[in-house]
Amino acid sequence: MSVVKKMQFAMILFACLGCFSEPLSAAPETIVNKKDLKVALRTAKTSEDHQRIANYYQEQAKKLEVNEKEERDLANYYLTHARMYGKQYPTPYENHKGRADYYHQARTQALEKADQQLKMAESALTSNLQ
């Protein structure tokens, strides 16, 4: 084979690999946004897929826990300094307490979804072993 033919063959090979490499790795390693989550939920088949989704929900729960703590701290501050803010309605305390409650509920739901995905991962793993 001449050098020119070897170069042409190499270029064609790299072009083909470039075209077909993306479908081989269709699922990203981590889920970074809700769009990725929707795709992952639709296409989840293996134990690893469900584990990846569970990891996403667990990360969301951690973020919500931080938000909840911040809002609870602010609510407690406004509760102890209520006279500084007059007769507003809703009071700053009520605003921050309501947000903290919302974050708590959202965190609980995220942990429940993570638990569901972990159970699905376990069942997918056991069905693959049988």
Side-chain angles (χ1 to χ4, degrees):
M1 234 185 201
S2 71
V3 175
V4 175
K5 286 188 178 186
K6 286 181 184 179
M7 290 297 287
Q8 287 175 340
F9 176 75
M11 288 173 48
I12 291 170
L13 179 65
F14 285 124
C16 289
L17 288 175
C19 292
F20 297 114
S21 65
E22 192 169 319
L24 295 176
S25 61
E29 288 298 316
T30 58
I31 300 169
V32 293
N33 56 35
K34 290 189 180 199
K35 183 179 177 183
D36 290 346
L37 176 63
K38 285 181 183 181
V39 171
L41 287 169
R42 275 193 311 241
T43 60
K45 295 177 183 162
T46 66
S47 175
E48 292 81 16
D49 294 339
H50 292 291
Q51 181 64 46
R52 192 166 39 90
I53 296 168
N55 290 342
Y56 171 80
Y57 283 127
Q58 289 169 343
E59 286 299 316
Q60 292 302 308
K62 287 177 188 176
K63 291 175 185 176
L64 290 164
E65 183 178 22
V66 169
N67 291 343
E68 177 188 356
K69 183 183 178 336
E70 289 174 359
E71 292 296 331
R72 290 246 184 258
D73 290 346
L74 284 169
N76 290 335
Y77 172 81
Y78 286 117
L79 182 63
T80 58
H81 297 87
R83 290 187 177 156
M84 293 174 58
Y85 300 100
K87 297 191 184 230
Q88 300 177 31
Y89 184 79
T91 65
Y93 165 76
E94 290 168 336
N95 279 332
H96 292 288
K97 184 180 179 315
R99 286 188 198 128
D101 292 342
Y102 167 78
Y103 288 132
H104 178 77
Q105 182 180 6
R107 177 177 171 259
T108 301
Q109 290 174 351
L111 289 173
E112 287 172 0
K113 290 177 181 179
D115 188 47
Q116 289 172 351
Q117 290 297 320
L118 290 173
K119 288 177 183 174
M120 293 170 79
E122 186 178 317
S123 89
L125 185 62
T126 57
S127 68
N128 284 342
L129 295 176
Q130 294 176 353

